[in-house]
Amino acid sequence: MITEIGHFALILAALVGVAQMVMPLVGAHRGWRGWMAMADPAATVQFLLVAASFAALTYAFVVSDFSLKLVVANSHSDKPMLYKVTGVWGNHEGSMLLWLLILVLFGACASWFGGNLPDSLRARVLGVQAAVSVAFYAFILFTSNPFERLDFPPFDGRDLNPLLQDPGLAFHPPFLYLGYVGLSMSFSFAIAALLEGRVDAAWGRWVRPWTLAAWLFLTVGIALGSWWAYYELGWGGFWFWDPVENASFMPWLLAAALLHSAIVVEKRESLKAWTILLAILAFGFSLLGTFIVRSGVLTSVHAFANDPERGMFILMILAVFTGGGLLLFALRASAMEAKGVFGSVSRETALVANNVLLAVSSFVVFVGTIWPLVIELASTNARWTFGSTQFANPFYTVGLFDRPEQVSVGPPFFDAAFTPFFVALSLILPIGAVLAWKRGSLAKAVKPMVPVAILAIALGALAFAMQTGRSALGPIGVVLGAWVVGGAMMDLWLRTGRGDIRGRLGRLRRLPRADWGKATAHAGMGITVFAVAALLAWEDEDIRVANVGDRWDVGVHEIELAGVRDVRGPNFIGQGADIIVYRNGREVGHIFPEKRFYPVAQMPTTEAGIRNGVVRDVYVTLGDPQEGGGWAVRTYIKPFANWIWGGSILMAIGGVISLTDRRLRVAVGAAKPKPKTPAVPAE
């Protein structure tokens, strides 16, 4: 009964969404206030109905209602309660319902907290947001219904993918979806501005909090996914340039560019067209990520579904909203004339450079991700099939390919192609942050940064002197990290003006929260850049077959396999090792890697044993038993690994601090529209 109510609530929400899509947009176009006012209650009703639907699905998972096809495929009665709940979004259908819930939540928040917006703009924003939600209602109800029943329910379910039965994956998708879907608000604001034909400083102030929130959630979601991959997959890495990882990274880069570009619109009323374009592309790339994850066109350990028909539906949504947005942008671009002018040396120029580097780096990741698909599509099939229709492959027709091509784009390409852009971004960031608006002086900006540069170079030289026989990547990472962090701190200090230290410290405490948030986020980026370079440059690795009692050296540590025992959990069995870690002959701790097997899912997993430290992690995985005796054991010493996620958390904290700034919360620049002066009738 409860699941039927959930299904009915979802259908009813779709009907409300259609009304919210049509009436406010028509009302805004015609100037009918009653129709425009309908958007606010409709947004709230949509959220309540979808929340009820999601609660009904969650209930079905919690009570193990195996009459639902989705529960059978992704749950089991012996599964821990945490993973019964997270199983709701640990699959395609449930995750899309979560996506929809977050989508209508953002729309409701725009209604609840958008009191400062002009009535016509708010109506258009909520109408466009509803249009996006209607597309996903159709996708869920027609292709991915989570409430589908079984005629003959089984006694028990087939369990959730064991790789997803992890605390990191319990929270990773919700945060990632909050970021993905949050960009729909930037998109809605952009389309609403195009429909109104007006982009001004107030619009830049309105769109910034939504973009900042989306970027913040994306940062947390990507960091959680990286952390999960680090300790759960057993490969010893934190980032693999996997297609699904790239699918979340591309909109993150564009959201960062959009966030900085909106500042220029707000402060100087420049870069209007570029900011609108970034808003459209950022949401378009979030839809592209959804297509990659759910269409099966690219192979990934993170993929939710392998269904070309669903992929085509998402591709249609991508084409309609991104293509439609770009078409509207082309038609209305002339209405977005920039008012502010600025010199070649100014903060505006630095932000333009920031935008170009972020956008080009996102494009590089996009090319590397999609290129294997393009080559495969062009070369491996003489005919293309779309639904029930076949077309001749034009590449075969012109003789461009006469044999199948196989191309693999992996980490070497991404490392070589992406890294220079991020290095350049790190170099210009501290200088650009202290340049004056409109017309600045490079000499004045560089002068206070000289001590920071000297410190960064000195630390890099010290790192180079301490390492032996290793690449220059580590020292370069030290220089860049110290330069970005020191530059962020110097930026804060320069904002206190002149005077004695006591007075400047007092002014430092009274600086706007947005300034503190910016410095915190930039410092977090510097820490992450340093940690990534340090880990890649100074990591130690050892792979061997070890017997119980063996001891071996890895870096400055000694590792001993003290024993192997059988382990049993609520829904798995396996073996666990007791690893003793020594340093300088003294025992410093035990770690317990495991090799698990989930009988219901018939799937093994590797649980790494990690001894976390401030400056290094000792990371051990247990492999299979060997025919001649002993166990395969892989050991890593990973320097500054935790600093990667520490820097990411610091970036997210910077976003939270900025969001608490009163100027962003209440949009001070959002003035109510002036009343029109009544026309004087002609005599």
Side-chain angles (χ1 to χ4, degrees):
M1 181 63 180
I2 291 179
T3 53
E4 275 71 25
I5 293 175
H7 193 187
F8 178 74
L10 188 62
I11 296 172
L12 189 59
L15 298 177
V16 175
V18 172
Q20 183 185 330
M21 174 182 68
V22 175
M23 294 182 66
L25 291 176
V26 173
H29 181 69
R30 296 286 188 177
W32 298 341
R33 293 190 176 276
W35 283 41
M36 288 190 285
M38 178 267 179
D40 292 316
T44 301
V45 170
Q46 261 201 93
F47 169 69
L48 294 176
L49 288 172
V50 177
S53 179
F54 189 82
L57 185 63
T58 303
Y59 175 81
F61 271 84
V62 169
V63 301
S64 297
D65 181 1
F66 295 121
S67 67
L68 273 187
K69 181 179 179 180
L70 191 66
V71 178
V72 172
N74 297 278
S75 191
H76 191 271
S77 57
D78 289 337
K79 192 168 64 172
M81 180 56 67
L82 172 64
Y83 303 130
K84 286 185 178 181
V85 175
T86 59
V88 176
W89 57 80
N91 57 82
H92 168 73
E93 292 82 358
S95 67
M96 289 312 303
L97 187 59
L98 175 63
W99 172 289
L100 183 60
L101 175 64
I102 295 172
L103 185 64
V104 296
L105 172 61
F106 272 102
C109 287
S111 170
W112 299 336
F113 306 114
N116 283 330
L117 297 176
D119 292 339
S120 62
L121 180 65
R122 185 169 72 251
R124 287 188 168 102
V125 167
L126 293 176
V128 175
Q129 191 74 6
V132 178
S133 68
V134 166
F136 281 95
Y137 283 124
F139 176 69
I140 292 175
L141 291 172
F142 294 136
T143 73
S144 309
N145 184 5
F147 297 104
E148 185 177 346
R149 290 281 196 179
L150 291 174
D151 294 331
F152 303 99
F155 178 74
D156 218 328
R158 296 197 292 269
D159 207 358
L160 180 67
N161 185 334
L163 288 175
L164 304 181
Q165 296 185 37
D166 179 85
L169 259 290
F171 302 103
H172 163 64
F175 276 103
L176 204 59
Y177 291 176
L178 283 165
Y180 273 149
V181 180
L183 291 174
S184 68
M185 285 304 304
S186 303
F187 174 82
S188 296
F189 269 92
I191 299 302
L194 289 173
L195 292 173
E196 291 212 339
R198 189 185 70 178
V199 178
D200 53 17
W203 181 89
R205 176 65 57 85
W206 292 324
V207 79
R208 274 183 64 196
W210 300 104
T211 305
L212 180 58
W215 176 86
L216 186 163
F217 289 127
L218 266 178
T219 302
V220 175
I222 292 172
L224 284 173
S226 172
W227 178 56
W228 165 79
Y230 175 70
Y231 71 81
E232 175 67 23
L233 296 183
W235 298 345
F238 61 93
W239 191 261
F240 306 100
W241 294 109
D242 177 272
V244 176
E245 290 175 332
N246 296 346
S248 62
F249 193 41
M250 290 184 287
W252 183 89
L253 292 168
L254 289 174
L258 173 60
L259 186 59
H260 290 83
S261 183
I263 296 173
V264 182
V265 175
E266 177 192 346
K267 300 290 186 183
R268 301 287 303 146
E269 292 206 32
S270 297
L271 304 184
K272 294 179 181 180
W274 173 246
T275 304
I276 293 290
L277 180 61
L278 279 177
I280 295 171
L281 291 178
F283 182 57
F285 271 84
S286 74
L287 292 177
L288 177 66
T290 308
F291 170 72
I292 290 174
V293 174
R294 299 169 196 283
S295 64
V297 296
L298 293 172
T299 302
S300 168
V301 297
H302 306 78
F304 270 117
N306 185 6
D307 190 337
E309 291 185 4
R310 289 173 176 172
M312 286 301 298
F313 202 113
I314 296 175
L315 197 59
M316 290 172 58
I317 296 175
L318 172 64
V320 168
F321 287 101
T322 307
L326 292 175
L327 177 61
L328 184 60
F329 172 79
L331 294 174
R332 303 302 295 269
S334 59
M336 294 177 287
E337 181 182 355
K339 295 181 179 179
V341 294
F342 52 89
S344 58
V345 179
S346 62
R347 189 174 300 183
E348 293 95 326
T349 302
L351 288 170
V352 169
N354 160 288
N355 272 225
V356 170
L357 290 170
L358 287 170
V360 173
S361 60
S362 180
F363 179 73
V364 167
V365 176
F366 170 74
V367 171
T369 304
I370 297 298
W371 189 246
L373 174 63
V374 174
I375 294 299
E376 181 181 358
L377 182 65
S379 65
T380 58
N381 296 303
R383 299 186 66 82
W384 291 343
T385 301
F386 295 94
S388 59
T389 307
Q390 288 193 341
F391 300 89
N393 184 336
F395 296 99
Y396 268 87
T397 303
V398 300
L400 184 60
F401 292 104
D402 56 1
R403 61 184 178 81
E405 299 283 343
Q406 289 187 350
V407 175
S408 176
V409 178
F413 165 80
F414 290 105
D415 292 342
F418 176 83
T419 302
F421 295 103
F422 229 72
V423 170
L425 181 65
S426 300
L427 289 173
I428 69 171
L429 183 61
I431 300 296
V434 298
L435 279 170
W437 291 102
K438 191 174 181 179
R439 186 174 291 106
S441 170
L442 190 60
K444 289 183 179 180
V446 169
K447 185 177 179 180
M449 292 295 171
V450 170
V452 177
I454 293 174
L455 176 62
I457 293 172
L459 291 174
L462 177 62
F464 184 79
M466 292 178 63
Q467 72 174 22
T468 56
R470 295 182 183 266
S471 71
L473 179 61
I476 291 174
V478 172
V479 172
L480 290 176
W483 169 246
V484 174
V485 174
M489 299 301 102
M490 182 59 72
D491 180 25
L492 275 180
W493 184 248
L494 292 175
R495 292 180 183 277
T496 62
R498 297 183 179 181
D500 61 353
I501 293 181
R502 178 177 296 180
R504 297 186 73 173
L505 289 175
R507 290 191 291 272
L508 187 66
R509 291 194 299 269
R510 295 191 296 272
L511 285 176
R513 293 182 183 179
D515 291 340
W516 278 101
K518 180 185 76 170
T520 303
H522 287 179
M525 187 190 113
I527 290 172
T528 300
V529 168
F530 155 71
V532 169
L535 190 150
L536 295 176
W538 298 330
E539 177 185 61
D540 288 308
E541 178 182 2
D542 179 90
I543 304 173
R544 65 176 62 229
V545 175
N547 292 292
V548 174
D550 287 353
R551 184 186 296 191
W552 60 96
D553 296 330
V554 184
V556 297
H557 292 82
E558 295 176 84
I559 310 297
E560 180 182 342
L561 178 59
V564 178
R565 69 195 187 286
D566 292 332
V567 295
R568 179 178 294 274
N571 58 341
F572 67 84
I573 57 175
Q575 293 81 37
D578 180 5
I579 302 290
I580 306 176
V581 181
Y582 299 88
R583 184 167 184 183
N584 298 325
R586 182 174 60 88
E587 181 180 319
V588 295
H590 290 244
I591 53 180
F592 305 97
E594 295 181 357
K595 188 78 173 179
R596 295 179 179 176
F597 181 76
Y598 290 77
V600 175
Q602 289 293 298
M603 182 175 176
T605 65
T606 299
E607 302 292 322
I610 306 174
R611 184 175 187 273
N612 298 113
V614 176
V615 296
R616 66 178 61 86
D617 283 358
V618 180
Y619 182 109
V620 182
T621 61
L622 180 68
D624 297 321
Q626 304 300 299
E627 291 184 1
W631 297 79
V633 179
R634 186 187 296 258
T635 310
Y636 301 92
I637 306 298
K638 294 186 171 294
F640 301 101
N642 290 316
W643 290 44
I644 296 174
W645 302 290
S648 301
I649 292 171
L650 205 58
M651 283 191 278
I653 291 174
V656 172
I657 294 173
S658 292
L659 278 176
T660 62
D661 191 300
R662 186 176 183 275
R663 294 175 299 175
L664 291 184
R665 284 187 288 111
V666 302
V668 175
K672 286 287 186 181
K674 296 180 181 179
K676 295 182 179 180
T677 303
V680 178
E683 296 183 359

